[in-house]
Amino acid sequence: MSEIVIPRGTWLENAGIIGVCNVLDRADLPFDLNANRLIIDSVVLEHFGTAYFDSFKQRYEVFLSPYVIKQKGNLLLERRQWDKEGIDQLNKYIDWAKSKLTSNSYVAAYRVAVNGAIEIRTLAKALKKINLKKNQTVEDVQPAISEELSTIGRILELLTDSTTWKLVMAKQVSYSIINQFWSNVSMLNRNAADQDPIVAYETYFIDPLKNYLKEDHQKDKYCCLTCNQPIKKLSKPAAFDLTWLNKMGVDMTRKTSHFWNLNAGTSYICPVCNFILSCVPAGFSVLKGQGYLVNSSSDLFQMRSLNDTAKELNAQNDETINLLELRSYYQLIDLMEQGKAEQEKREIDNIQIIKFNSADSLRPYTFNVLSKDKLEIIQRNKKSLDKLIKAVVRTDDGDYLNIYQQVFKRLYDNKNQFDLIQKIYRSSIPEQSAAPLKNAFIIRQLIYINNDFIYSIRKRGGEQMSDYSPSYVPKPVINQMIKAGQKLATVYIKDKSVNKLQGITYRLLNALKTKNTSRFMDTFFNAYLYVKNTEPGSELIIPLELSDALHDEDKLQTLGYAFILGFRSGRGLKEEED
């Protein structure tokens, strides 16, 4: 027995360390983690291959196709009464399950399982959809339904056999999750397609590590690129390159120009680091091809707690990667609120957020720093951010905007949200003048968040802010401007001048987009003057708050967008608590 000590490193090594902890924790295997390093006993390596795949299975099982095949298949088998809708559901299931059960990854698992599992492919191919002809009733096709259900039952019986299920799930974990982070080696090598994934993983990652720990390295003349530990020679299984990590390493034989003096000899890693990096996928929180990692580079123990917001994911809870990410930020906020030592508060200033997107083949990883100032903005706008987690807006050019991601992109870049608000307005104005504004609720939350962001930026710049400062717009004032817009629109509708709403709206939006204060105020006052002329004695009062915004572009935009929101959303927009 010997101890393996893995020190804190870059975000990539830290992700691997957190991944190792997650694997061992789910398998109830011991490890010692503190702020600066992870210590594990070499004994745990005997069970690590199985624990590795079990950890992914425990966390992501409900999102993998074998689980869905089993769950939906059992629901169909339990069905007692059949109608046309039920037949449609059966046919959709047959189409989808058939394509999955006969795919290469499934068939490779059947071959390894051996114990009758290969029969699943034959049975799946034999599945046929139920065609209800024009003159037929559901009772006429009942024998065919029973036959297909019998085949499905047999498939599920074979599929859920303990050996087959374990191998099928391991294959799906490999191709659906792990393959997004690394590929071409171990169970993801083409030559290992018909091997047990657990055996393939242990052969490539665990066995070299065991041998490395047993060997004497006093005379080794090479060093690991990552941890600087000695390496005997620059070839497997004594050393490994980084080309297997997606978009990380370079071809060590054909692209030597990437290295000093065309020599790649200094860019190899030891078996310990190779093992750690294999656990990077287990360190990230991943959902539907997107993931994130909160990297607290000064404290590994803290980092693990910040990334521990999604131990067991649940498809029925409609989890989203945005929700999981936001939970991590809330944990950071809780840490700030606990009144800990100043040293810990300084550490929070340098929290790195690594976003992962498998759909971006050129740049799957993006990096941002979340400062304490930005965390305070998140803290003050918890309610608004929670409401935007699932918000999606279709733009004029046909694209779909994930509002939560758009908000945080600008927050990371230290940019305000005015361009996003303008874009959503343009996509939300209905063709009919009398129709209310779409996405009004989303725009309202964006105005609140953006107003707080501008307040924070100016406060950071040294301005003295208060609720009475001309540079700060209190939330009640924003709500008053929304109400003012609603009241003015009501008069236009009552006067049967609803067709004028569209033109006024676009002129106001254009003025705000170009930050043209005089044009905005001309349109604004003319809109009120028209009401005075058509309805003498009208009780409408022009909001005086705008007078403070004449020399403040940010305040003008905040109040202007709030006014337009009320002007075009009508009485249907509910008042929010201040």
Side-chain angles (χ1 to χ4, degrees):
M1 294 189 298
S2 61
E3 283 189 342
I4 306 172
V5 181
I6 304 111
R8 187 181 69 227
T10 66
W11 71 269
L12 192 61
E13 287 91 51
N14 290 349
I17 290 172
I18 299 304
V20 173
C21 294
N22 290 341
V23 170
L24 295 175
D25 186 36
R26 287 185 172 86
D28 290 326
L29 294 171
F31 64 91
D32 178 18
L33 180 72
N34 64 25
N36 299 309
R37 50 97 186 110
L38 167 68
I39 301 176
I40 60 175
D41 197 301
S42 60
V43 172
V44 303
L45 298 179
E46 299 298 328
H47 313 283
F48 197 87
T50 300
Y52 183 79
F53 286 95
D54 282 348
S55 69
F56 286 106
K57 175 179 168 291
Q58 289 173 29
R59 192 175 190 188
Y60 298 107
E61 181 180 43
V62 295
F63 298 97
L64 298 175
S65 57
Y67 181 88
V68 181
I69 289 172
K70 181 181 73 171
Q71 292 298 101
K72 290 187 175 181
N74 284 329
L75 288 175
L76 290 170
L77 292 175
E78 293 168 3
R79 190 173 188 131
R80 293 291 172 260
Q81 294 183 339
W82 288 88
D83 51 20
K84 191 175 184 306
E85 182 182 351
I87 292 173
D88 289 340
Q89 291 175 0
L90 175 60
N91 288 338
K92 287 179 182 177
Y93 175 81
I94 288 174
D95 259 349
W96 180 77
K98 192 173 183 177
S99 66
K100 295 294 182 183
L101 292 167
T102 56
S103 64
N104 292 336
S105 60
Y106 276 80
V107 174
Y110 306 153
R111 292 198 193 101
V112 180
V114 177
N115 55 341
I118 198 69
E119 185 187 344
I120 297 175
R121 183 185 187 186
T122 305
L123 291 169
K125 283 187 173 182
L127 287 172
K128 295 179 181 177
K129 292 195 293 186
I130 307 299
N131 294 317
L132 193 63
K133 297 179 181 178
K134 189 174 182 180
N135 297 324
Q136 284 185 315
T137 63
V138 174
E139 287 73 20
D140 294 332
V141 295
Q142 193 64 51
I145 294 174
S146 300
E147 184 179 346
E148 298 309 314
L149 291 176
S150 176
T151 304
I152 291 171
R154 177 58 179 161
I155 288 173
L156 296 184
E157 181 185 347
L158 291 169
L159 183 65
T160 53
D161 170 80
S162 58
T163 303
T164 305
W165 185 256
K166 180 180 179 181
L167 289 165
V168 168
M169 290 300 291
K171 285 286 186 182
Q172 293 310 303
V173 162
S174 300
Y175 292 115
S176 300
I177 301 170
I178 299 172
N179 193 40
Q180 298 179 48
F181 294 87
W182 56 264
S183 57
N184 299 325
V185 298
S186 186
M187 68 281 185
L188 293 173
N189 188 291
R190 290 182 181 179
N191 297 329
D194 289 337
Q195 290 183 24
D196 184 332
I198 298 172
V199 173
Y201 176 83
E202 291 183 336
T203 300
Y204 191 85
F205 291 106
I206 305 299
D207 292 346
L209 175 54
K210 290 179 181 177
N211 293 332
Y212 181 82
L213 296 174
K214 293 175 184 176
E215 295 170 348
D216 181 6
H217 297 283
Q218 290 185 3
K219 297 182 180 180
D220 292 357
K221 56 182 180 179
Y222 301 103
C223 292
C224 172
L225 171 67
T226 301
C227 67
N228 211 36
Q229 290 297 310
I231 301 174
K232 183 176 292 185
K233 56 182 180 179
L234 300 180
S235 60
K236 299 173 185 177
F240 299 83
D241 59 37
L242 293 171
T243 56
W244 56 283
L245 292 170
N246 295 345
K247 300 299 175 183
M248 287 291 173
V250 296
D251 192 315
M252 306 289 274
T253 56
R254 290 182 294 176
K255 296 182 179 178
T256 55
S257 60
H258 285 75
F259 305 98
W260 172 253
N261 205 23
L262 304 183
N263 180 13
T266 58
S267 299
Y268 285 83
I269 59 174
C270 67
V272 177
C273 292
N274 200 50
F275 160 71
I276 294 298
L277 294 180
S278 74
C279 296
V280 167
F284 272 77
S285 294
V286 186
L287 209 57
K288 298 178 182 177
Q290 296 186 64
Y292 75 93
L293 176 79
V294 182
N295 179 33
S296 178
S297 57
S298 57
D299 190 333
L300 287 173
F301 190 82
Q302 181 191 84
M303 179 179 173
R304 183 161 188 254
S305 67
L306 294 175
N307 287 280
D308 205 26
T309 55
K311 278 188 175 179
E312 312 299 336
L313 301 175
N314 190 332
Q316 279 67 45
N317 288 346
D318 197 21
E319 302 272 14
T320 67
I321 198 66
N322 296 340
L323 178 58
L324 301 182
E325 181 187 347
L326 201 53
R327 285 180 192 163
S328 293
Y329 298 161
Y330 290 166
Q331 280 190 271
L332 269 171
I333 291 166
D334 290 340
L335 185 61
M336 289 171 55
E337 292 176 339
Q338 286 170 8
K340 294 196 174 183
E342 285 300 315
Q343 177 62 29
E344 290 193 12
K345 291 183 180 179
R346 284 197 293 272
E347 289 169 359
I348 290 175
D349 282 339
N350 296 309
I351 295 293
Q352 186 183 36
I353 309 298
I354 297 96
K355 296 286 190 71
F356 170 78
N357 185 355
S358 62
D360 191 339
S361 59
L362 295 177
R363 194 187 177 201
Y365 297 99
T366 54
F367 304 87
N368 300 283
V369 174
L370 200 59
S371 66
K372 193 171 76 173
D373 292 331
K374 292 172 185 174
L375 280 169
E376 288 173 347
I377 295 172
I378 294 171
Q379 179 189 25
R380 290 193 295 267
N381 293 277
K382 272 186 177 182
K383 290 183 179 179
S384 292
L385 289 169
D386 284 341
K387 293 169 184 175
L388 295 177
I389 280 176
K390 298 178 184 178
V392 177
V393 172
R394 190 173 189 270
T395 61
D396 290 337
D397 52 11
D399 292 335
Y400 287 88
L401 289 179
N402 183 311
I403 302 302
Y404 171 91
Q405 292 179 357
Q406 293 292 322
V407 168
F408 268 88
K409 182 178 184 298
R410 287 162 177 78
L411 188 61
Y412 289 138
D413 295 341
N414 244 29
K415 290 173 58 179
N416 62 50
Q417 310 285 336
F418 285 133
D419 66 316
L420 179 60
I421 294 171
Q422 178 81 213
K423 186 179 291 187
I424 297 175
Y425 261 120
R426 297 285 177 177
S427 305
S428 304
I429 298 174
E431 293 182 4
Q432 297 180 347
S433 297
L437 182 75
K438 297 179 289 185
N439 302 313
F441 179 79
I442 293 173
I443 294 172
R444 185 173 202 155
Q445 306 312 316
L446 290 178
I447 292 173
Y448 291 155
I449 295 169
N450 189 59
N451 180 56
D452 190 81
F453 169 79
I454 293 170
Y455 165 78
S456 300
I457 290 293
R458 292 191 171 187
K459 187 176 180 181
R460 202 184 313 161
E463 286 192 30
Q464 296 297 316
M465 297 294 181
S466 70
D467 284 357
Y468 305 100
S469 169
S471 298
Y472 176 60
V473 185
K475 196 171 181 180
V477 175
I478 294 176
N479 291 336
Q480 288 171 18
M481 288 299 295
I482 294 173
K483 288 179 186 176
Q486 288 176 315
K487 288 179 181 178
L488 182 60
T490 301
V491 177
Y492 272 85
I493 295 170
K494 190 186 298 183
D495 188 48
K496 297 183 181 179
S497 300
V498 70
N499 59 314
K500 295 184 180 294
L501 296 180
Q502 206 81 315
I504 295 171
T505 300
Y506 278 112
R507 287 196 293 275
L508 291 173
L509 284 175
N510 288 335
L512 291 176
K513 185 177 181 179
T514 57
K515 299 181 181 180
N516 192 324
T517 303
S518 59
R519 183 176 296 176
F520 179 88
M521 298 306 291
D522 283 346
T523 306
F524 179 80
F525 284 123
N526 284 333
Y528 272 93
L529 288 172
Y530 175 82
V531 171
K532 292 284 185 182
N533 290 333
T534 55
E535 286 212 5
S538 171
E539 296 180 358
L540 283 179
I541 300 174
I542 296 176
L544 295 178
E545 288 80 8
L546 274 176
S547 61
D548 292 333
L550 294 178
H551 302 290
D552 189 325
E553 291 179 348
D554 289 336
K555 187 169 185 180
L556 177 69
Q557 287 185 289
T558 299
L559 294 176
Y561 283 126
F563 177 81
I564 297 171
L565 179 61
F567 189 64
R568 285 312 313 269
S569 59
R571 294 287 182 181
L573 187 64
K574 296 180 181 179
E575 183 175 351
E576 293 205 356
E577 293 182 7
D578 296 334

